[in-house]
Amino acid sequence: MAEIVIVASPAAAGVLVASEIVRLIESRPDAVLGLATGSTPLPVYEALRARIGGLDVSHVRGFALDEYVGIDPSHPQSYRSVITKEVVEPLGLDPDLIHTPNGAFATIEHAGEDYERAIAEAGGIDLQILGIGTSGHIGFNEPGSSFGSRTRVKTLIEQTRKDNARFFDSIDDVPMHCITQGLGTILKARHLFLLAFGEGKAAAVAGAVEGPVTSSLPGSAIQLHPHVTVVVDEAAASQLQYADYYRYAFANKPAWQGL
Ligand code: F6R
């Protein structure tokens, strides 16, 4: 089972996950990070910024989870731009070592395979940061995604386009298609951190953690992974049946186990 950590605030979650990333980079300077976009991981990137001084991050590598199809990389809402603005520049990472799937129409037919090859050549992802959509998606693996899926083009469901319209001028500007790491790709990362904040995520979190393992709720794929840490605030934890047990288990966890 995933370890569930219920924290007081998104900022506290950020500090927790950032500490783990710092530990990883200290032990492995060319660590491979799996980077999520959207609002959820921002407290992690913010906390990392505060922690990173003095650490050599010049060899850190990274792979974004997903990208919109047909959006120019220079568009402010392309995930390439978002990762550059939120992660690469503030943390001083080498942009050449940070990858996003290529959403250009011209090469889209083999962009998924190209991305899988790049991840494999990097030796796989050490630590994957994940958010979860209200549809239960992780990456942009919408309901019905295969647990064996690899990086490929998907069609966003209407709910996700509505959710993401806040980043664009209108919902009509939100691309219809995306290219995303598959559930099978995500499950190969060595350590998954799934984060969620706010009541709007409570049903998706409960489904992913305690519900049946089903492609109808793609986040439930995490139940198949041997090393998952779910970090949620009280609101996102509010529909978890065993929340008290998770609190008790974490409070009494042997220190040597780490996260
Ligand atoms: C982003 C991603 C998505 C988001 C999810 C939640 O790279 O893959 O799965 O994590 O849509 O989005 P936010 O964090 O904006 O609520």
Side-chain angles (χ1 to χ4, degrees), residues 94-128:
D94 179 349
D96 292 339
L97 299 181
I98 308 301
H99 309 267
T100 43
N102 184 351
F105 285 128
T107 48
I108 200 68
E109 282 180 35
H110 55 83
E113 274 170 49
D114 295 346
Y115 205 59
E116 288 290 326
R117 197 175 318 113
I119 294 174
E121 283 170 5
I125 291 168
D126 293 311
L127 185 156
Q128 176 67 58

Side-chain angles (χ1 to χ4, degrees), residues 84-95:
T84 301
K85 181 167 156 264
E86 307 290 356
V87 187
V88 175
E89 289 176 351
L91 300 185
L93 305 184
D94 179 349

Side-chain angles (χ1 to χ4, degrees), residues 35-41 65-66 79 130-134 137-140 160 164 166-167 180 201:
L35 302 165
T37 47
S39 319
T40 306
L65 272 171
D66 36 26
Y79 283 175
L130 296 168
I132 187 164
T134 53
H137 70 220
I138 52 174
F140 274 144
T160 300
N164 287 6
R166 67 191 194 279
F167 297 118
T180 179
K201 298 292 176 72

Side-chain angles (χ1 to χ4, degrees), residues 10 15 17 67 70 93-94 97 149-150 171 204 228 237 242 245:
V15 169
V17 180
E67 178 59 285
L93 305 184
D94 179 349
L97 299 181
S149 52
R150 316 301 304 206
I171 187 169
V228 185
Y242 300 107
Y245 169 65

